[in-house]
Structure formats: C-alpha cells, structure tokens
Amino acid sequence: SFALPNGEFGNYAGSGFGVGGFWEKSFTGNFSGNASVQYLTFGEKDEGDGTHKILGLNYDLHYYPGDGFSGFYGLAGLGYHSYANTWSSADGDVSESLTGLAINVGAGYYFTENLGAEVRLSTAKFGNSDYDLEERTNWIQVSFRYRF
C-alpha cells in the first residue's frame, strides 16, 4: 500500500507505505464482508517530526453492483487503530502511543478474479495527546489486492 496523510496529519507526516492482509466472505446478493489487518509507516515531513506508525484492524462491507464478486465495488467500514509516534526533542527521544476508532470509505476494482486495486480514505479519532498531536488523523491509501 501507498499512503498519503491529509489535513493536520499531513503537516508533520510524509508519505507512507504499508502491508496488510484480508479475509473476504461473500453474503447474499452483491455484498461481502472484508476483515483486514494493516501496518502503515509514514516518513518525516521535516527533520525532527519523527516516525508515525499505524496498526489497524478493519471490517468493511463491500458492495459489488455487477454480476458476482468481481469488477467495481464500493466499501464502507469501521476500524480499530493503534498510532505510535517517536520524535527527537531537546530532552531526548519522545514517544507516544494512542488508540482509537476509524471510519473507512472507498472503492476498488478487480481486474481479474484475483488481482485488484483499492483506494480508501480513513479517518481515525485517537485519544487525548500529551504533546498537542492532532487527535483526528486522516489518510488516503492506495493498495493492490490479491485474492487466493
């Protein structure tokens, strides 16, 4: 995955990348449930901004408007994410870990039965920060997907 931070998060985090895995279960009609785990790491925007890492557990509902579970789909879901940030200050290295809920929306397309791509916007609300960290964190993620 490739990830771009948005909003306030984009002021101090650079572009990122990640890996993940998913399990998809089809329901009746054109709906499926998609459980996933992902790990994202974002670079520094400016020197001293530190590293930003997100570990997320998501459950999304996918809707395939066409025949079967291929082609275009839309998604919406919820996630539970853990955010970690480490940066340098005059007093030494400082770290912070927060957890919170996320909302995911997006769309994807399966080029073949197994190979697809997805774009999603995630917005997470993390707990209170001791270091004036923006509590709402947004990012756009572009991923390639492979179904076994």
Side-chain angles (χ1 to χ4, degrees):
S1 294
F2 178 73
L4 293 171
N6 304 81
E8 185 74 21
F9 186 42
N11 291 339
Y12 53 85
S15 58
F17 65 93
V19 296
F22 68 93
W23 178 78
E24 188 171 16
K25 172 70 175 151
S26 60
F27 300 129
T28 59
N30 297 4
F31 289 94
S32 71
N34 190 84
S36 65
V37 60
Q38 65 181 4
Y39 174 78
L40 299 169
T41 182
F42 296 88
E44 290 182 312
K45 185 79 164 203
D46 295 314
E47 190 170 333
D49 283 342
T51 59
H52 310 272
K53 297 177 170 74
I54 296 175
L55 177 64
L57 301 172
N58 298 293
Y59 189 79
D60 301 320
L61 185 63
H62 289 194
Y63 174 71
Y64 295 85
D67 293 332
F69 295 96
S70 61
F72 173 80
Y73 64 90
L75 71 89
L78 297 173
Y80 182 76
H81 292 259
S82 173
Y83 171 84
N85 183 16
T86 303
W87 68 96
S88 297
S89 73
D91 299 328
D93 285 348
V94 180
S95 4
E96 178 172 56
S97 294
L98 304 168
T99 57
L101 295 177
I103 297 171
N104 307 309
V105 294
Y109 186 83
Y110 273 99
F111 306 107
T112 68
E113 184 178 332
N114 302 85
L115 183 63
E118 179 179 283
V119 62
R120 70 171 51 216
L121 169 66
S122 295
T123 181
K125 175 75 169 162
F126 294 112
N128 292 331
S129 169
D130 293 333
Y131 301 99
D132 295 326
L133 177 68
E134 174 66 28
E135 292 179 14
R136 184 161 305 282
T137 304
N138 308 307
W139 65 94
I140 294 175
Q141 182 177 341
V142 177
S143 304
F144 290 102
R145 299 171 60 88
Y146 188 82
R147 284 194 285 212
F148 291 95

